[in-house]
Amino acid sequence: MTTPLEIVLSYHRAWTSQDFDLAMTYLADDMVCHAPAGRLVGAEAFRGFMEPFSQILVSSELVGSFGDETTAMLMYDTSTRPVADAPGAELHTVRDGKIVELRIIFDRLPFEQARTVAATRSAPPEGAQTE
């Protein structure tokens, strides 16, 4: 029998290696995700949120993991193109071999700061003529 922790570690390995199609196989269609951006309902809504993050991922290192008969928790450090140090934690509820609920914790501030810097760099200089 596969444990919730084994399922979640397989899911984690899939998305951190940018194989989001494989990662999706570990999620229930009606899964619910609680993230700093809000509540997402359904695997496809979650994909729209998480897959873009997996595409900017440079590396990920698992810091710790724990599981019991229904849940698994992971803590990890990631490095992304815009943010070099982006730690995260996830609490998963697993039922019938699928992740049915996921609570993600990460600091959004460094990503917002990176977006602001990128927007400032791409904006035309003040007073410049635009067509």
Side-chain angles (χ1 to χ4, degrees):
M1 180 174 174
T2 304
T3 68
L5 182 57
E6 291 168 330
I7 291 165
V8 169
L9 287 170
S10 294
Y11 158 79
H12 182 78
R13 278 190 297 274
W15 80 257
T16 59
S17 65
Q18 298 178 333
D19 188 347
F20 220 80
D21 288 334
L22 178 58
M24 293 293 292
T25 66
Y26 297 100
L27 304 175
D29 290 339
D30 60 349
M31 63 93 64
V32 176
C33 174
H34 308 275
R39 186 173 187 260
L40 303 163
V41 178
E44 286 306 314
F46 176 73
R47 182 181 199 133
F49 165 74
M50 193 68 176
E51 187 172 29
F53 180 78
S54 76
Q55 298 303 313
I56 62 169
L57 188 68
V58 173
S59 66
S60 178
E61 180 183 346
L62 190 63
V63 175
S65 61
F66 170 81
D68 62 22
E69 46 292 323
T70 60
T71 60
M73 181 178 286
L74 305 180
M75 182 174 181
Y76 50 86
D77 286 325
T78 62
S79 177
T80 67
R81 287 188 203 111
V83 176
D85 183 23
E90 300 178 0
L91 176 64
H92 303 253
T93 302
V94 177
R95 191 169 32 253
D96 298 325
K98 297 282 187 172
I99 298 166
V100 296
E101 190 169 12
L102 170 55
R103 184 171 303 272
I104 300 174
I105 299 171
F106 66 92
D107 187 359
R108 292 177 65 184
L109 183 60
F111 292 95
E112 291 171 12
Q113 290 171 331
R115 276 192 288 276
T116 299
V117 168
T120 302
R121 288 183 182 156
S122 66
E126 198 170 309
Q129 297 289 329
T130 58
E131 296 178 34

